[in-house]
Amino acid sequence: MTVKEETMGTLLLVLLLTFAEDLECTPGFQQKIFRIEQPAEFIEDQLILNLTFNDCKGNEKLRFDVSSPYFKVKPDGALVALKNISEVGPALFIHGRSSDAEDMAEVMIAGGKDSHASLKEIFTYAKTSAIPRQKRSIVVSSILIPENQRQPFPRDVGKVVDNDRPEGSKFKLSGKGVDQDPKGIFRINENTGSVSVMRTLDRETMATYQLFVETTDVSGKTIEGPVSLDIIVIDQNDNRPIFKEGPYIGHVMEGSPTGTTVMRMTAFDADDPSTDNALLRYNILQQTPDKPSPNMFYIDPEKGDIVTVVSPALLDRETLENPKYELIIEAQDMAGLDVGLTGTATATILIDDKNDHSPKFTKKEFHATVNEGVVGVIVNLTVEDKDDPTTAAWRAVYTIINGNPGQSFEIHTNPQTNEGMLSVVKPLDYEISAFHTLLIKVENEDPLVPDVAYGPSSTATVQITVSDVNEGPVFHPDPMTVTKRENITIGSMLLTVNATDPDSLQHQTIRYSIYKDPAGWLYINPINGTIDTAAVLDRESPFVHNNIYTALFLAIDSGDPPATGTGTLQIKLEDVNDNAPLIYPTLAKVCDDAKDLNVVILGASDKDLHPNTDPFKFELNKQTGSDKFWKISKINDTHAQVSLLQNLKKANYNLPVMVTDSGTPPLSNTTELRVQVCSCKKSKMDCSSAGIPHIRTTLVLLLSFFSLVWL
């Protein structure tokens, strides 16, 4: 063999070996599953194992992502820990990606504790892409795609294999993300089975996609499938923690023991809760104010509970510069590592007051001066209380505990100032007592805490001086009453009034005068107070109500200036028969052809009282001869029936009717009843031509008049 032939043979052998190697190259991790024992501790930067990734095209732009933030894969494939760590979990998942391929490997840790139960579910995939499914020629494995990938798109993310696919058949992909909303996210190369993603994915919008792969013939008829293809979106830490439930306001009682829980603050992270991307830790960034300690509170980094960390003595509301604290709380994901994202919120903590200070009077003795006969507030008692003015631990309650046997005084709390307003509620009398001494105590609406008591400063004395004033005379009795018959003689004495001057220490004279006498019936002697009638007393007067006439009188002393007292006189008037009765109505109408000859029912009224009223007696004046045509009949004590004895012609008739009461002596009154006799046709009454009195009745009346004159 020549040298040339030998060289060509060697070159051919290299080409054959290279071609064979290309045929055998499978893109991705050359080993996909690793098993290691859980050590006591993973040591920082110590080699755990080596991974081999080959995209069969030179591994351009190869990078690795690890499911735990505590580990990384170096460019040479070495898996190391970023810090010393003991608990990791049952598995680590490594995502390898180059310009031409990407794949997932799993490191199973025997003895590792499962800190995130759903972690495996998220990274579920076929253990090896080369294991065919039983009784199927379509081979699929789950595809894992990190969210937030950048351009360029489309990007190949996986491949479907069908070794038994007939010639001319095509791959078809369907499901949500392909031909169902959201449409157009994924596509498959119908000839090669390569699956591509068309745009950036967001795990928080949709974490998984279940697609279906099938093979079809040229007519579109399904040859095999559909087979489920799961696409899982790998979470990236792209969401900051957010405090959603604000405002955050907590309360803690002053003097609370160290370690008292004030409130809980929790944040929300939209990232995958099964990863450290949503594992939050809490911290207090700032406290305002920072007195008396810059660290008044502590927050549990995992639970978010805020508790007190200072002694009860420092948590004294009355000594604090401000009983309100504002804390800036930070929540950081990635379990608080520096690489984690953060969110902040403000917590407002109010130190609530308890009644640990009793109210104290500003002085032991208060003074007040009040005129006799006056009511109202006479002095305001001031107190001091260090408790919160907006609470019942500050609001004062005052009590008079001595010096008020007649209940002449009351004390109430001014809600704005907390002062005790001492008032006179029953007028004081200088002549009875010129001085009063009250003992008053003050307490809070809320009871004091057990270790605090009310002291001597919680009581005070009030000295009250009553000033003498010129008081008006007082009538005895008031009102004054007297009973008299109406119509008594003018000048009759009714009574003598009696008024006395309360100012017993002053010797003053009293004069009398009329203040109100509505009917002008009375006269009073200004010196001795005798009251006489100045006019006739009339029980039926409009000034009399319920038989009582009321008048007012004045008694005026000789003081400087003079004082006046008012007295009331009530005169009860007894009735006498001084009013004759009156009849009603005084007009009646009747038809000239009426079959019913009853004309009208008369009634009578009398202003007097019984027995000077009914029963009434009704009569026709017989001297006029009216009894030839009319008659009157008693119905009851107050009414009578007027009737015709025969039908009369159409005309007006005046009928004298006399009515007499039952008084002693009886009084009578004669009233003319006017009766119109009208023509009645078709239920209509015509009285138009009945305006002239009938001649017969008129002549009878004239004859009766002349007969009376001649007599």
Side-chain angles (χ1 to χ4, degrees):
M1 182 180 294
T2 64
V3 174
K4 183 176 181 182
E5 290 175 341
E6 184 178 353
T7 303
M8 290 296 293
T10 302
L11 180 60
L12 180 61
L13 178 61
V14 170
L15 290 173
L16 289 173
L17 290 173
T18 303
F19 179 73
E21 183 179 349
D22 289 341
L23 289 176
E24 294 175 0
C25 181
T26 301
F29 286 103
Q30 301 307 297
Q31 181 179 344
K32 298 181 182 293
I33 299 177
F34 300 84
R35 290 178 175 85
I36 64 173
E37 294 292 329
Q38 168 74 51
E41 187 175 41
F42 288 99
I43 306 302
E44 181 179 355
D45 209 33
Q46 179 177 311
L47 176 66
I48 299 172
L49 57 84
N50 283 306
L51 298 104
T52 303
F53 184 95
N54 186 3
D55 65 359
C56 304
K57 293 185 180 181
N59 287 345
E60 184 179 351
K61 296 182 180 180
L62 176 62
R63 56 170 293 182
F64 300 96
D65 293 312
V66 185
S67 60
S68 172
Y70 307 117
F71 296 86
K72 75 172 183 178
V73 178
K74 294 182 177 181
D76 61 358
L79 175 65
V80 297
L82 293 174
K83 68 174 186 176
N84 295 349
I85 184 169
S86 58
E87 292 186 5
V88 176
L92 294 176
F93 296 90
I94 296 97
H95 179 240
R97 181 173 66 233
S98 70
S99 299
D100 298 293
E102 61 181 304
D103 198 4
M104 184 68 64
E106 179 181 7
V107 179
M108 301 178 67
I109 304 173
K113 295 182 179 179
D114 192 356
S115 60
H116 301 297
S118 63
L119 191 60
K120 289 184 178 180
E121 297 175 5
I122 292 176
F123 289 102
T124 297
Y125 66 103
K127 302 302 182 183
T128 61
S129 60
I131 300 177
R133 298 176 186 259
Q134 187 176 8
K135 296 183 180 180
R136 292 195 179 207
S137 60
I138 298 178
V139 179
V140 298
S141 62
S142 298
I143 299 174
L144 289 83
I145 307 173
E147 65 173 335
N148 304 323
Q149 286 184 321
R150 298 180 180 178
Q151 295 282 357
F153 290 105
R155 180 191 295 265
D156 289 343
V157 293
K159 189 172 184 179
V160 177
V161 178
D162 188 351
N163 295 325
D164 299 330
R165 182 163 64 96
E167 186 177 352
S169 63
K170 297 180 180 180
F171 288 104
K172 180 181 179 182
L173 190 64
S174 62
K176 291 184 178 180
V178 181
D179 55 355
Q180 299 176 28
D181 290 333
K183 296 179 180 179
I185 297 178
F186 304 99
R187 74 179 183 186
I188 190 169
N189 187 307
E190 61 183 15
N191 296 316
T192 66
S194 178
V195 179
S196 303
V197 63
M198 308 303 294
R199 58 177 181 262
T200 300
L201 302 182
D202 183 4
R203 192 205 67 85
E204 287 70 45
T205 302
M206 185 171 290
T208 62
Y209 297 85
Q210 186 177 28
L211 308 181
F212 297 94
V213 180
E214 57 185 308
T215 56
T216 63
D217 59 19
V218 292
S219 65
K221 183 179 179 181
T222 300
I223 299 174
E224 184 180 355
V227 176
S228 176
L229 170 62
D230 293 329
I231 295 183
I232 301 164
V233 183
I234 303 174
D235 185 43
Q236 301 289 322
N237 191 20
D238 58 346
N239 288 278
R240 293 182 179 275
I242 299 173
F243 290 90
K244 288 184 173 182
E245 301 174 358
Y248 296 91
I249 300 175
H251 295 262
V252 61
M253 188 68 68
E254 64 172 328
S256 294
T258 303
T260 299
T261 300
V262 180
M263 61 190 299
R264 171 173 287 186
M265 290 186 66
T266 55
F268 169 78
D269 195 312
D271 289 320
D272 185 357
S274 67
T275 69
D276 287 349
N277 294 338
L279 185 58
L280 304 183
R281 292 294 182 262
Y282 299 94
N283 181 43
I284 298 176
L285 295 181
Q286 181 179 331
Q287 170 191 301
T288 305
D290 59 359
K291 300 291 190 304
S293 168
N295 300 304
M296 299 285 288
F297 305 94
Y298 165 80
I299 187 167
D300 186 303
E302 296 184 4
K303 297 180 180 179
D305 290 337
I306 299 175
V307 299
T308 62
V309 293
V310 295
S311 66
L314 288 180
L315 209 60
D316 184 359
R317 185 189 171 282
E318 286 73 37
T319 61
L320 293 176
E321 178 183 331
N322 188 342
K324 180 174 76 171
Y325 287 87
E326 289 190 349
L327 309 179
I328 297 179
I329 306 298
E330 177 188 67
Q332 187 171 27
D333 59 23
M334 300 299 292
L337 291 178
D338 292 341
V339 296
L341 302 177
T342 61
T344 60
T346 299
T348 301
I349 299 178
L350 302 175
I351 312 301
D352 291 337
D353 187 38
K354 64 181 180 181
N355 198 8
D356 55 350
H357 294 84
S358 62
K360 298 179 180 179
F361 284 103
T362 57
K363 51 187 177 180
K364 290 299 297 179
E365 188 171 282
F366 295 84
H367 295 271
T369 300
V370 59
N371 290 334
E372 63 173 333
V374 175
V375 295
V377 178
I378 58 173
V379 65
N380 291 312
L381 310 184
T382 53
V383 295
E384 293 178 345
D385 195 319
K386 294 181 180 180
D387 290 315
D388 185 356
T390 64
T391 67
W394 177 81
R395 292 192 291 271
V397 178
Y398 298 87
T399 308
I400 302 173
I401 58 177
N402 196 13
N404 190 28
Q407 304 301 309
S408 299
F409 302 93
E410 287 184 358
I411 188 166
H412 300 281
T413 304
N414 185 317
Q416 280 74 41
T417 65
N418 216 30
E419 296 177 346
M421 302 182 295
L422 182 63
S423 303
V424 176
V425 294
K426 293 182 181 179
L428 304 177
D429 192 338
Y430 172 83
E431 284 71 30
I432 295 177
S433 178
F435 300 97
H436 296 268
T437 300
L438 304 180
L439 185 61
I440 297 177
K441 72 174 181 179
V442 61
E443 297 175 324
N444 289 128
E445 289 184 5
D446 275 357
L448 294 173
V449 296
D451 56 340
V452 178
Y454 293 103
S457 298
S458 296
T459 59
T461 301
V462 182
Q463 300 289 350
I464 301 167
T465 301
V466 182
S467 300
D468 188 24
V469 297
N470 186 23
E471 300 173 83
V474 179
F475 284 88
H476 303 283
D478 189 27
M480 302 162 282
T481 59
V482 64
T483 301
K484 296 293 180 180
R485 290 173 63 87
E486 65 174 332
N487 300 334
I488 60 174
T489 306
I490 296 174
S492 298
M493 188 186 78
L494 299 179
L495 81 164
T496 299
V497 299
N498 178 34
T500 59
D501 193 338
D503 299 308
S504 57
L505 302 180
Q506 304 178 28
H507 301 287
Q508 299 182 128
T509 59
I510 297 176
R511 294 180 62 84
Y512 300 95
S513 65
I514 296 175
Y515 179 44
K516 286 185 179 180
D517 180 14
W521 290 345
L522 306 175
Y523 166 80
I524 188 169
N525 187 305
I527 305 299
N528 60 22
T530 299
I531 298 176
D532 300 327
T533 62
V536 175
L537 307 182
D538 183 7
R539 192 199 64 83
E540 290 76 33
S541 167
F543 298 106
V544 177
H545 302 283
N546 296 326
N547 304 321
I548 294 176
Y549 179 74
T550 302
L552 301 179
F553 295 89
L554 299 178
I556 307 167
D557 65 20
S558 57
D560 185 17
T564 302
T566 303
T568 301
L569 172 62
Q570 294 180 336
I571 305 172
K572 184 175 181 180
L573 295 174
E574 295 179 340
D575 186 42
V576 298
N577 195 20
D578 57 348
N579 291 279
L582 299 174
I583 67 167
Y584 60 89
T586 58
L587 175 65
K589 295 180 180 181
V590 66
C591 293
D592 56 359
D593 58 352
K595 294 180 180 179
D596 182 3
L597 298 181
N598 291 327
V599 178
V600 67
I601 294 177
L602 297 180
S605 63
D606 195 317
K607 293 182 180 180
D608 293 318
L609 298 177
H610 191 77
N612 296 322
T613 57
D614 60 271
F616 297 113
K617 181 180 179 182
F618 296 88
E619 299 176 282
L620 294 176
N621 192 329
K622 295 181 180 181
Q623 294 182 354
T624 61
S626 57
D627 56 340
K628 295 179 181 180
F629 303 100
W630 310 85
K631 73 173 182 177
I632 190 166
S633 306
K634 179 179 178 180
I635 296 176
N636 53 34
D637 289 347
T638 58
H639 292 80
Q641 175 74 59
V642 176
S643 305
L644 280 169
L645 296 177
Q646 63 184 43
N647 289 109
L648 297 178
K649 294 182 179 180
K650 182 178 179 181
N652 287 340
Y653 299 88
N654 293 323
L655 183 63
V657 178
M658 182 173 68
V659 59
T660 305
D661 62 25
S662 298
T664 304
L667 294 180
S668 299
N669 179 48
T670 299
T671 303
E672 281 195 349
L673 173 64
R674 185 182 181 188
V675 180
Q676 289 183 319
V677 179
C678 309
S679 62
C680 300
K681 295 180 179 179
K682 297 181 180 180
S683 301
K684 292 185 178 180
M685 181 176 283
D686 181 14
C687 303
S688 59
S689 59
I692 301 174
H694 193 270
I695 184 85
R696 181 185 299 174
T697 305
T698 304
L699 290 174
V700 170
L701 291 174
L702 288 173
L703 289 173
S704 299
F705 173 75
F706 287 125
S707 297
L708 290 172
V709 172
W710 290 337
L711 290 174

